[in-house]
Amino acid sequence: KNHIAYKIHQLSSRKAEPFIEVNCGAIPESLFESELFGYEDGAFTGSKKGGKKGYFEAAGNGTLFLDEIGELPLNLQVKLLSVLQNQTLMRIGGTKRIEVNCRIICATNQNLEKMIKERKFREDLYYRINVVKVEIPPLRERKEEIIPLIYEITEQLNRKYQLNTYFTPTMAAWLSQQNWPGNVRELRNYIEKKMITSSGNEIDLDMHEEDTKKESYTQLTKEIPLNDYIETLEKEYIVRMYQKYPSSIKLAEILGISQSTANRKILKYVEQR
């Protein structure tokens, strides 16, 4: 969710402005109002001298990403709605209204329509934030994205830990067939664990037989039709090689195939992604 929110920010005219991410479920209710809206000097015991900007002010003309919006208490939902409607806020202990000009992106893994019926989420706030709705299917419903994710995450972690580790096509194909109930976060954690505990640069399936016995990883590659398995491996390899050699001529030369065949595979596996 935060990755998509940040991409929206980066692709917009606000990209040079701040991107502020707030997890509404991680901030104690007693602190949330001061964190979100800020406070003036001496507003309460223990307040910072000179006061403090809240997240809305800190975002400026940028983007404020409110993750887990369904965790926001009802009394704070009212105040958030007021800010969104009036596009102004007032710090705790303040008397001056401050204009708000940031983009608001909200995210949740809860069913807000159900929460409205249960009177746990305000209907008016729901319609205020539900302007452009983007639904992110679970990773198990978009398995074609797993292999590219594996190589993107591996590249990031190689830079982070100064490694040169990689997953073999067989291991990547096996990973792409798992359900990943924890979605991208679970996939990333699994990859990170394997990379930092591996004794060599190559991570292959036969090195991690214990994983195939776990209940959360029951869909083994042997259950996949052979043609599907071969196509998964071919797609992963073509996509990876094309990223390295973005030319049908060079790709054909590297793979030892004709340029027309290379063009067909690029069209099938790369341009239709």
Side-chain angles (χ1 to χ4, degrees):
K1 294 176 291 185
N2 58 346
H3 182 73
I4 291 177
Y6 185 66
K7 282 293 185 183
I8 292 172
H9 174 74
Q10 287 292 94
L11 293 171
S12 73
S13 59
R14 300 174 184 262
K15 63 182 179 181
E17 302 294 334
F19 175 85
I20 306 293
E21 180 178 346
V22 181
N23 188 324
C24 298
I27 302 175
E29 183 176 345
S30 58
L31 298 177
F32 199 92
E33 187 175 359
S34 62
E35 291 295 306
L36 200 62
F37 307 127
Y39 56 83
E40 295 292 353
D41 186 9
F44 50 85
T45 303
S47 61
K48 184 178 178 181
K49 186 175 181 180
K52 180 184 175 183
K53 288 183 178 181
Y55 293 127
F56 274 100
E57 285 186 78
N61 294 320
T63 300
L64 178 61
F65 174 47
L66 300 176
D67 196 8
E68 303 300 346
I69 189 72
E71 300 291 334
L72 199 63
L74 281 169
N75 64 310
L76 293 178
Q77 290 180 27
V78 177
K79 295 180 179 180
L80 175 59
L81 176 63
S82 175
V83 172
L84 297 181
Q85 285 180 334
N86 300 321
Q87 295 187 311
T88 61
L89 62 82
M90 190 179 295
R91 291 183 182 181
I92 296 175
T95 57
K96 183 178 69 174
R97 303 207 69 84
I98 301 170
E99 290 189 5
V100 172
N101 191 39
C102 59
R103 173 198 279 120
I104 308 296
I105 300 178
C106 302
T108 183
N109 59 5
Q110 300 192 50
N111 187 328
L112 294 185
E113 291 89 345
K114 182 181 178 183
M115 291 184 67
I116 290 171
K117 292 178 182 178
E118 296 172 348
R119 299 184 181 278
K120 295 179 180 178
F121 199 86
R122 291 184 62 94
E123 186 174 19
D124 47 5
L125 176 59
Y126 172 75
Y127 288 116
R128 172 62 63 175
I129 63 177
N130 190 26
V131 179
V132 178
K133 187 175 182 179
V134 178
E135 292 191 20
I136 308 173
L139 200 54
R140 64 179 177 272
E141 293 180 11
R142 45 193 175 99
K143 289 186 174 181
E144 71 281 357
E145 297 180 18
I146 293 179
I147 288 179
L149 276 171
I150 291 169
Y151 290 105
E152 180 180 338
I153 293 169
T154 302
E155 185 178 343
Q156 292 172 358
L157 294 175
N158 271 328
R159 290 196 301 266
K160 178 180 178 180
Y161 294 110
Q162 297 183 335
L163 299 172
N164 190 29
T165 306
Y166 63 93
F167 288 79
T168 65
T170 303
M171 185 65 172
W174 181 77
L175 292 174
S176 73
Q177 297 305 315
Q178 310 315 309
N179 279 331
W180 303 110
N183 296 301
V184 177
R185 184 175 288 109
E186 182 184 3
L187 175 63
R188 182 184 180 87
N189 289 345
Y190 178 91
I191 292 172
E192 187 166 14
K193 174 187 173 183
K194 292 304 174 188
M195 289 179 67
I196 62 179
T197 58
S198 176
S199 57
N201 290 339
E202 181 181 272
I203 301 177
D204 201 2
L205 184 60
D206 58 8
M207 299 165 56
H208 303 278
E209 292 180 357
E210 73 279 4
D211 290 334
T212 66
K213 300 174 183 177
K214 293 180 181 179
E215 186 177 350
S216 60
Y217 304 116
T218 55
Q219 294 183 339
L220 305 182
T221 51
K222 65 182 182 182
E223 298 177 357
I224 308 169
L226 180 59
N227 288 339
D228 291 348
Y229 181 75
I230 293 173
E231 184 172 330
T232 298
L233 291 177
E234 183 180 65
K235 176 181 179 180
E236 176 272 320
Y237 189 62
I238 294 295
V239 169
R240 185 154 55 97
M241 295 305 290
Y242 187 71
Q243 288 174 343
K244 191 174 182 180
Y245 306 104
S247 160
S248 61
I249 298 175
K250 187 64 176 177
L251 185 65
E253 179 185 337
I254 295 296
L255 300 182
I257 58 178
S258 67
Q259 187 182 358
S260 59
T261 300
N263 278 320
R264 285 198 301 272
K265 293 187 181 299
I266 291 169
L267 181 64
K268 180 179 181 181
Y269 295 128
V270 181
E271 295 185 0
Q272 291 185 1
R273 286 172 66 195

